[in-house]
Amino acid sequence: MFITKQIINGKEYYYLRKSVREGEKVISKHIAYLGGDKGQAEVRAKEIEEKMMNPVVEVSNEESEDVRKLTIEELTNFCKEKGFVFRSSDIYGGFSGFWDFGPLGVELFNNLKENWWNWFVRSRENMVGVEASVISHPRTWKASGHIENFNDIFVKCKECGKSSKLDENELGKVKCECGGEYESQGKFNLMFETKVGVGDSGDGAYLRGETAQGMFMDFKLIQQTSRMKLPFGVAQIGRCFRNEIAPRDFLFRCREFHIGEFEFFIHPDEEKCELLDDVHREVKFRFLDEETQKEGKEDLKDVTIGDILESGKLGEWHAYWLSEQVLWFQNLGLMEIKIREHTKDELSHYSSATFDVDYEYPFGSLEVAGNANRGQFDLIQHQDESGESMKIFDEASGSKVVPRVIEPTFGIERVFLAILTKAYCYDSRRDYIVLKIPAKLAPVKVAVFPIIKKPEYLEIAESVVRDLKKDFNVNYDKTGSIGRRYARNDEIGTPYCVTVDGDSLNDKSVTIRDRDSQKQIRVKVSKLREVIGRLIEGEVEFEKAGKVVR
């Protein structure tokens, strides 16, 4: 579209026109009269263009969204193009199993970690956090059983020669993608070895394969310095390393990744969980139990936490934390959750009962979190290996005890992937990808646009940006059409766009546009930061946050 000027009887008149193709000819069509003032004509043209790019059409999100399945390759390419995730060492062709978070990715990842921390740590009186070292004393991993038991079976396909890994219970049952049978090449320990010190005097050590052991080793120090009483938990989000035989599926199976987990310490004789209420018991999900798996089936049952508790598959504390995990996922909008019970022959060496929390990705149902009953295994192992007592005094019972442990754990990159795949959708009305990330997780919370690049508009817009940046990550975009600026921000998940338009100069108000509905409201500049904050936190409905204009 373009503006034309006509001079009639010495007066200037401005019109908005558009070039369109009719057959083999390109003709100019009249769109609107813009008035006799050039400045106001430019503002009016931008406003008309915005309305044409975002027509008010009563079409539901379901009707406009393309529900085609997203492949892992499409997601990988999208993340690279938009600055979410890059291959590590990309200029050298990448390095298998290692990835870098780009500018948008690190913002989303940090928001996700903060949300996890707020849900499981800051909001609770019985939880504290730590950040333990990536490298610890080598005897740590002897005591934990990782040196002896942290193994996968290295296999090669007899047909195509592709390398992979299997659990022991999968050997002879699982086939290669080509249909060929796997042949075992022996056990392979997943621990990353390193060396601490110089020359021959250096000591062999390991990069941690999980964050748990740091919390077990610091358990008594944490309890004493924080004055915690049983039951209580210790949480941590940190980097872990596993020398995967066959890294694959983008961020899903990496050699370097983040685990968010906590060890919840309970008196060994305490069975009753006072925190388990009706809300937890009524948490619903799809469940794959051990009995069904042993029959060679994968039929899912619709159950509640209360149902599993009554079946005797887990105790009350285990049930409480498993339900809290599901509630957190649901709070993020990830409703496609199922839980799978580990069979007895696949339990880890430290666990008496384990449940996988799987998410239904477009490319398959895969584990995103887990919950294990570790009992007293780890504390007693470290007590025996170090010679240091792991008993603490329990005021309620008046005795010294080694607590038992329930361990919820999360693969943070895997949750990150779930958020992106859930948010990714093609909108047929807009004809581009809209990333519908929950506002509280969005890497950029708000974008600000001056409708035209004139000093009076830029001054207001820059003032708005300065104020919003006190609380939010803000994108200031002043180039391109309004429609294109909307599209750029829709594609990266920005939930709200603020436009400084022709009326802003007079009424000191701006327009807020909602990413998902494309509806718009008018809000005073003086109230803007407060309104955006309430919208992000879900404290007010969009159409009630200001005067509806579209």
Side-chain angles (χ1 to χ4, degrees):
M1 286 184 285
F2 55 92
I3 298 174
T4 61
K5 179 179 71 171
Q6 291 187 18
I7 299 178
I8 303 174
N9 295 327
K11 293 184 179 181
E12 295 180 348
Y13 297 89
Y14 293 88
Y15 299 88
L16 184 64
R17 302 185 69 83
K18 182 180 181 180
S19 296
V20 295
R21 178 174 292 276
E22 290 189 356
E24 296 182 356
K25 296 181 179 180
V26 176
I27 63 172
S28 175
K29 281 195 171 183
H30 171 78
I31 302 297
Y33 170 61
L34 301 175
D37 178 80
K38 182 179 179 182
Q40 290 300 316
E42 290 174 348
V43 173
R44 177 67 178 147
K46 291 286 185 181
E47 291 173 344
I48 292 172
E49 182 182 8
E50 176 188 348
K51 289 178 180 178
M52 293 179 70
M53 289 295 295
N54 293 276
V56 180
V57 182
E58 293 300 324
V59 181
S60 69
N61 287 338
E62 287 76 13
E63 290 174 323
S64 66
E65 290 176 14
D66 188 338
V67 294
R68 63 186 175 183
K69 283 194 173 183
L70 174 69
T71 67
I72 195 74
E73 291 79 15
E74 287 174 326
L75 182 61
T76 305
N77 291 333
F78 176 82
C79 285
K80 180 179 180 179
E81 291 170 4
K82 299 303 175 184
F84 282 92
V85 183
F86 311 130
R87 287 191 306 176
S88 181
S89 314
D90 190 65
I91 62 172
Y92 295 104
F95 199 38
S96 182
F98 299 93
W99 298 88
D100 299 337
F101 287 104
L104 292 176
V106 73
E107 291 289 342
L108 174 57
F109 199 66
N110 286 340
N111 291 343
L112 178 60
K113 289 191 291 183
E114 183 178 20
N115 186 279
W116 186 94
W117 199 263
N118 286 336
W119 182 279
F120 290 107
V121 183
R122 288 181 182 152
S123 65
R124 303 171 192 271
E125 295 183 1
N126 59 0
M127 193 78 70
V128 293
V130 295
E131 183 166 341
S133 173
V134 167
I135 299 176
S136 54
H137 196 288
R139 289 169 65 189
T140 301
W141 307 107
K142 178 185 176 184
S144 70
H146 280 74
I147 293 176
E148 182 179 354
N149 299 304
F150 199 50
N151 303 309
D152 278 335
I153 306 297
F154 179 31
V155 294
K156 278 191 175 181
C157 177
K158 294 179 181 179
E159 297 294 327
C160 68
K162 182 179 179 180
S163 298
S164 188
K165 72 163 192 175
L166 294 176
D167 295 331
E168 282 195 64
N169 63 303
E170 294 177 319
L171 199 59
K173 301 176 184 176
V174 176
K175 291 188 176 182
C176 179
E177 293 175 352
C178 75
E181 293 185 358
Y182 282 121
E183 184 176 36
S184 173
Q185 307 294 305
K187 289 186 177 181
F188 179 81
N189 191 280
L190 299 178
M191 296 293 288
F192 257 112
E193 294 188 58
T194 187
K195 196 171 185 180
V196 178
V198 181
D200 295 337
S201 63
D203 296 319
Y206 300 91
L207 303 181
R208 67 183 178 192
E210 64 177 18
T211 63
Q213 298 308 317
M215 293 182 277
F216 288 126
M217 291 186 291
D218 289 344
F219 160 68
K220 286 188 72 174
L221 290 172
I222 294 167
Q223 187 266 334
Q224 292 164 5
T225 56
S226 301
R227 300 171 60 228
M228 300 298 288
K229 298 178 182 179
L230 294 176
F232 73 93
V234 181
Q236 180 174 197
I237 299 177
R239 292 180 186 271
C240 297
F241 303 83
R242 295 181 186 177
N243 198 8
E244 292 283 354
I245 295 168
R248 60 187 182 274
D249 294 340
F250 191 24
L251 292 176
F252 191 82
R253 192 171 297 283
C254 310
R255 288 176 168 139
E256 178 184 4
F257 53 93
H258 292 75
I259 286 180
E261 65 185 349
F262 52 92
E263 315 305 324
F264 198 80
F265 300 96
I266 309 160
H267 191 288
D269 298 330
E270 183 178 340
E271 301 295 334
K272 188 72 175 174
C273 174
E274 299 294 339
L275 301 177
L276 185 69
D277 57 22
D278 289 342
V279 172
H280 298 97
R281 292 176 183 273
E282 293 169 7
V283 169
K284 296 179 180 180
F285 50 85
R286 294 174 300 157
F287 183 55
L288 180 59
D289 60 25
E290 181 181 22
E291 294 78 12
T292 301
Q293 294 173 75
K294 285 187 173 180
E295 293 174 2
K297 300 177 181 178
E298 295 186 355
D299 299 333
L300 299 172
K301 302 174 182 177
D302 291 321
V303 301
T304 65
I305 284 288
D307 295 332
I308 301 181
L309 188 60
E310 290 176 10
S311 72
K313 291 181 177 294
L314 77 180
E316 288 197 5
W317 279 105
H318 207 167
Y320 170 75
W321 284 117
L322 189 58
S323 63
E324 280 290 309
Q325 287 180 281
V326 176
L327 288 170
W328 181 66
F329 281 115
Q330 293 176 349
N331 182 256
L332 298 180
L334 302 177
M335 313 303 290
E336 301 80 5
I337 290 293
K338 76 174 185 183
I339 292 178
R340 185 183 72 84
E341 180 184 16
H342 277 211
T343 60
K344 295 294 185 292
D345 59 352
E346 67 173 320
L347 288 172
S348 299
H349 59 279
Y350 52 74
S351 176
S352 61
T354 297
F355 297 87
D356 285 347
V357 181
D358 291 0
Y359 181 73
E360 194 69 43
Y361 296 94
F363 37 84
S365 179
L366 300 166
E367 181 187 356
V368 70
N371 193 312
N373 183 349
R374 295 184 81 127
Q376 297 170 297
F377 176 84
D378 297 273
L379 291 179
I380 288 177
Q381 286 291 107
H382 285 299
Q383 179 174 268
D384 293 345
E385 177 67 22
S386 68
E388 294 287 334
S389 173
M390 286 295 179
K391 291 184 177 181
I392 63 169
F393 182 74
D394 176 53
E395 292 184 10
S397 64
S399 60
K400 283 191 171 185
V401 298
V402 176
R404 65 184 182 95
V405 173
I406 299 295
E407 179 193 68
T409 183
F410 301 78
I412 304 300
E413 277 86 353
R414 296 182 180 191
V415 182
F416 177 94
L417 275 185
I419 294 293
L420 283 178
T421 57
K422 175 76 173 186
Y424 184 100
C425 67
Y426 172 75
D427 189 300
S428 59
R429 273 187 294 158
R430 300 181 228 190
D431 195 26
Y432 56 75
I433 299 301
V434 179
L435 206 56
K436 296 187 175 183
I437 300 173
K440 57 192 170 187
L441 298 181
V444 177
K445 296 292 190 288
V446 57
V448 177
F449 312 148
I451 198 163
I452 57 173
K453 290 192 287 184
K454 284 195 170 185
E456 57 269 37
Y457 296 93
L458 297 176
E459 182 180 351
I460 296 174
E462 289 165 6
S463 174
V464 166
V465 169
R466 285 193 299 271
D467 186 57
L468 291 177
K469 275 184 173 290
K470 295 174 182 176
D471 290 340
F472 315 112
N473 190 22
V474 180
N475 178 16
Y476 181 37
D477 192 347
K478 55 186 178 181
T479 60
S481 69
I482 287 293
R484 186 64 203 128
R485 283 182 266 180
Y486 281 152
R488 282 197 290 258
N489 281 276
D490 288 347
E491 287 175 333
I492 64 171
T494 306
Y496 304 109
C497 292
V498 172
T499 302
V500 176
D501 55 27
D503 293 330
S504 301
L505 302 178
N506 300 318
D507 65 7
K508 307 301 179 186
S509 297
V510 291
T511 300
I512 305 176
R513 180 255 202 186
D514 178 67
R515 176 196 63 205
D516 297 345
S517 68
Q518 296 181 271
K519 293 179 179 178
Q520 297 182 7
I521 57 174
R522 196 82 181 161
V523 173
K524 290 288 184 182
V525 171
S526 59
K527 295 287 185 180
L528 182 60
R529 180 152 55 104
E530 176 190 346
V531 169
I532 293 291
R534 295 187 67 201
L535 287 170
I536 290 170
E537 293 300 322
E539 296 174 358
V540 62
E541 294 178 19
F542 183 76
E543 293 180 54
K544 295 180 180 178
K547 181 181 178 181
V548 177
V549 293
R550 293 188 61 201

